[in-house]
Amino acid sequence: LAAFAGRIPAAPAADAHGEDASKWSRLPLAPREDEAYAIVSQVNYVAAGCRLFEPGEIADFGAASVASRALSLGYLWDNVRVAGGAYGGGCALNPTSGGFAFSSYRDPNLQATLDIYAAAADALSESDISAEALEQAIVGMVGDLDKPLTPDQKGQRALNWHLTGVTTAMRQEFRDQVLGCSPEAFRAFAERLRKAKLSVSVFGSEEALAAANAKRETPLPVKKIV
């Protein structure tokens, strides 16, 4: 344990968010393009994502996280899981990277689920967020922040904060943003999501992918891996 602790940097990696961050932009990254993989399966795994916030962008990440969580447990739960029959489904926002992703698990649908993702921004902006619903969304998000952790989870979280330079002040700012979330923040998140271009990545049978491509203006490029 002492040997491991000795290898941890003595100072947070603050430069990862400063001038030295440019070195990361030189790393070769996979192109942003749609992907479809044919596998032997009776169900599908349907994902779509985008970079919703740019690196270094100043934004109301706390309120955006509340809206993302509400979208996942509301509209997506009702349409992807309950009505669509998927074993699991939802969306998630990473406040650190700015990445946002939809996903479904053991999903009998494919293109229908992608259509649900595409309509998510409209559904969120058109929903009537009552004071009670907003309070429940905020309380649920705070519950996620304050959920009990095992000792190893606490250690992993503390290590991540240390390595990424996340301070107590930054965590407090995020919490304040969560507590200050408003219906306007939901609409702002929906508008940002509406303008984003989603990249698709799906796994399904050849038959399911062919059926989905028959309904798409731009067919997904299919790669057979199994």
Side-chain angles (χ1 to χ4, degrees):
L1 182 60
F4 172 76
R7 295 174 64 89
I8 299 176
D15 286 344
H17 306 284
E19 295 180 0
D20 288 349
S22 61
K23 65 183 180 182
W24 300 108
S25 65
R26 298 193 296 270
L27 293 176
L29 301 176
R32 294 184 182 181
E33 59 185 22
D34 295 337
E35 303 172 321
Y37 298 95
I39 60 175
V40 179
S41 176
Q42 295 180 336
V43 290
N44 310 297
Y45 302 84
V46 185
C50 62
R51 184 184 292 280
L52 207 55
F53 297 90
E54 292 301 318
E57 181 177 354
I58 304 300
D60 193 342
F61 289 110
S65 296
V66 175
S68 173
R69 185 180 186 278
L71 180 64
S72 184
L73 298 180
Y75 169 78
L76 292 172
W77 175 280
D78 293 341
N79 289 276
V80 175
R81 187 164 187 178
V82 177
Y87 189 79
C91 66
L93 169 68
N94 186 325
T96 302
S97 68
F100 177 83
F102 296 101
S103 63
S104 72
Y105 175 74
R106 296 189 62 82
D107 192 343
N109 303 301
L110 202 158
Q111 185 57 43
T113 297
L114 291 174
D115 291 339
I116 291 171
Y117 297 164
D122 289 337
L124 186 61
S125 64
E126 295 170 2
S127 61
D128 183 16
I129 307 298
S130 66
E132 181 180 2
L134 179 60
E135 182 179 12
Q136 290 178 348
I138 293 173
V139 169
M141 186 67 205
V142 172
D144 286 349
L145 295 176
D146 295 341
K147 63 183 178 182
L149 299 176
T150 61
D152 64 312
Q153 289 173 328
K154 291 180 180 179
Q156 181 65 54
R157 183 179 66 176
L159 178 61
N160 290 339
W161 286 344
H162 175 76
L163 295 178
T164 56
V166 175
T167 65
T168 300
M170 293 166 65
R171 300 198 299 272
Q172 183 61 54
E173 180 183 14
F174 184 86
R175 181 181 293 270
D176 291 342
Q177 291 173 343
V178 168
L179 296 175
C181 183
S182 64
E184 290 73 22
F186 273 62
R187 289 189 285 271
F189 181 81
E191 185 60 27
R192 183 179 286 265
L193 182 58
R194 183 181 291 109
K195 295 177 180 179
K197 184 182 184 304
L198 296 174
S199 296
V200 173
S201 182
V202 299
F203 289 77
S205 67
E206 289 187 84
E207 295 77 12
L209 293 171
N213 277 339
K215 300 176 183 178
R216 296 177 59 89
E217 292 184 6
T218 304
L220 296 169
V222 179
K223 299 178 181 178
K224 186 175 181 179
I225 59 174
V226 178

